[in-house]
């Protein structure tokens, strides 16, 4: 078996690189402006750690949180369009927000977000699923759907 070609080894090396590099927002890491969204897409609302705590405590809807940054992180930029699409897709059924990973790192770590970007789904104040990059909108959508499905069965 060729270990270098092993998908497990490749994925493991990619995760190690992501963890070591982190989200650099210095001027040398990229442009200092937010990514341009496709026509009709909106940026996610950005909330502070305290606002997030209040939101998940009082929300009757599932909450999907992206712990990321608005600029300077290639991985965050790769997911921005997908996250904007999820926010539109689940409008009225779930709340989708972003918390600045660098500015609110303690909040991120408290909810299991160890690398940037990370995603946490909350159901009635409880974190029920945490995913770190690399992930996809399809997986995050499945996470939201499973919470909403549980909600439907409660009534």
């Amino acid at each position: 078996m060729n270990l270098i070609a092993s998908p497990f080894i490749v994925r493991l090396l990619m995760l190690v690189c992501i963890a070591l590099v982190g989200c650099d927002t210095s001027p040398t890491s990229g442009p200092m402006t937010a990514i341009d969204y496709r026509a009709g897409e909106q940026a996610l609302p950005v909330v502070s750690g305290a606002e997030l705590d209040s939101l998940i405590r009082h929300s009757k809807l599932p909450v999907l949180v992206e712990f990321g940054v608005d600029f300077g992180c290639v991985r965050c930029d790769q997911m921005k369009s997908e996250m904007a699409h999820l926010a539109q897709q689940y409008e009225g059924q779930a709340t989708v927000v972003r918390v600045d990973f660098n500015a609110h790192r303690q909040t991120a770590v408290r909810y299991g977000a160890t690398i940037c970007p990370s995603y946490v789904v909350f159901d009635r104040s409880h974190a029920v699923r945490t995913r770190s990059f690399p992930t996809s909108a399809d997986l995050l959508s499945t996470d939201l759907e499973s919470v909403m499905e549980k909600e439907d069965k409660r009534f």
Side-chain angles (χ1 to χ4, degrees):
M1 177 174 147
N2 184 355
L3 288 180
I4 298 205
S6 166
F8 173 76
I9 298 297
V10 170
R11 189 173 195 129
L12 179 63
L13 288 173
M14 187 169 82
L15 289 173
V16 168
C17 289
I18 289 170
L20 291 175
V21 172
C23 287
D24 181 12
T25 58
S26 65
T28 59
S29 67
M32 295 301 285
T33 59
I35 188 171
D36 294 326
Y37 290 92
R38 293 184 190 132
E41 290 182 352
Q42 299 295 318
L44 294 181
V46 178
V47 298
S48 69
E51 290 169 326
L52 175 64
D53 291 340
S54 178
L55 174 66
I56 62 174
R57 191 172 34 256
H58 296 101
S59 181
K60 298 201 182 322
L61 299 175
V63 178
L64 170 59
V65 181
E66 177 186 61
F67 289 96
V69 295
D70 282 333
F71 55 85
C73 173
V74 173
R75 299 179 306 274
C76 295
D77 288 349
Q78 289 175 351
M79 290 294 292
K80 280 188 178 176
S81 176
E82 293 185 52
M83 292 303 296
H85 178 72
L86 282 176
Q88 290 174 347
Q89 179 181 347
Y90 289 103
E91 187 173 351
Q93 302 172 57
T95 303
V96 182
V97 298
R98 176 179 295 117
V99 172
D100 186 298
F101 185 87
N102 291 333
H104 302 282
R105 194 174 298 257
Q106 289 179 334
T107 301
V109 170
R110 185 172 69 230
Y111 291 120
T114 56
I115 66 168
C116 179
S118 289
Y119 305 88
V120 182
V121 175
F122 292 90
D123 179 24
R124 299 184 185 248
S125 300
H126 301 296
V128 295
R129 183 68 163 127
T130 301
R131 292 188 186 271
S132 296
F133 188 87
T135 191
S136 70
D138 289 340
L139 290 172
L140 297 171
S141 179
T142 298
D143 295 341
L144 281 174
E145 293 285 340
S146 69
V147 170
M148 289 187 290
E149 188 175 289
K150 278 193 326 189
E151 292 289 320
D152 290 342
K153 291 180 181 178
R154 289 181 186 164
F155 297 107

